[in-house]
Each structure stands twice: as structure tokens, then as C-alpha cells.
Amino acid sequence: MPDNLTITENAATPSVLFVCVKNGGKSQMAAGLMRKAVGEAVEVHSAGTKPGTAVNDLSAESLAEVGIDITGETPKPIDPELLARVDLVVTLGREAVVNAPAGVTLINWDTDEPSERGIDGIERMRLVRDDIAARVTALAAELTAR
């Protein structure tokens, strides 16, 4: 993440939209982790560029291990109205591409992909979760320090 991330706030409460391709794993994890970190201090959303049909079971299991329940979430597409009004869009991974409108800050988190090292299953998802959690912690501190 850039050291001097500039976010133009559209409202008193900062807002962030986490995006991955399917909105079933990484973006749902980021949203759940951010909600746990900041509560109501940040408006949190997630979406996918090509949403799947369900939240990834291993993503949900890895978050449950740290007290976060995303089992009630469902993948959803990017809402153009939401995209136009959030302060920040965070894409997760290398495949999600978002064209953010003027005035919306866009950053990419090129998240860890343990499967490239032969690590799969719940062990993979825990590593992904921990990578995203560290990034969320830093972003949460920045957003709530305003």
C-alpha cells in the first residue's frame, strides 16, 4: 500500500469496496476482517467482477477460526452507484480489474497465493487470510485516524 494513500472522503464515514473476481473468497474475507477491525467506523462493501454463486467454504472456515462469520454473505456484482460513491476501491489479487470513476481512489493488493507454492486446502486459506488481515489492519488504522 502506498505510504501516502490519498482518499477523498465523500461523507463523514469513510467507505471501502473490496473487489475480487468471484466475490466468494478474498474480497469477502477482506470485508469481514475490516468489519471486525472497525465496526461501524468504516462503511464496508464487497463485490466481484464476475461473481460466483456462493462464498468459498474454506474462506468462511478460515475466518470462523478468528471469530468472523461470513456464511450469510452472497457474491454480488459491482453496483455502479456504489462504485461511484465509495472513497476507496481495493482489488484483491491479479485478476480483478475495476475502472474506478474520477474521485474514487483505487489500489490493488497483490495478495499471497500459496497455491503457487503447492500449498492448498485450509492451510492455503489461512495464509491468504493472514496476508489480507495484515493489509486490512494497516488500512483500518489509516481510515479511522482521520
Side-chain angles (χ1 to χ4, degrees), residues 115-126:
S115 62
E116 294 175 355
R117 300 186 305 276
I119 302 169
D120 292 310
I122 191 63
E123 183 180 354
R124 169 189 175 262
M125 205 54 68
R126 288 176 181 137

Side-chain angles (χ1 to χ4, degrees), residues 6-19 35 42-47 77-91 98-107 139 143:
T6 303
I7 299 173
T8 305
E9 294 187 39
N10 299 327
T13 303
S15 56
V16 61
L17 171 62
F18 293 104
V19 178
R35 287 184 189 107
V42 175
E43 181 184 328
V44 180
H45 303 276
S46 71
I78 297 171
D79 176 340
E81 289 181 20
L82 176 65
L83 181 62
R85 73 172 178 79
V86 296
D87 299 308
L88 174 64
V89 175
V90 178
T91 56
V98 176
N99 294 316
V104 175
T105 301
L106 173 68
I107 61 172
L139 180 59
L143 292 175

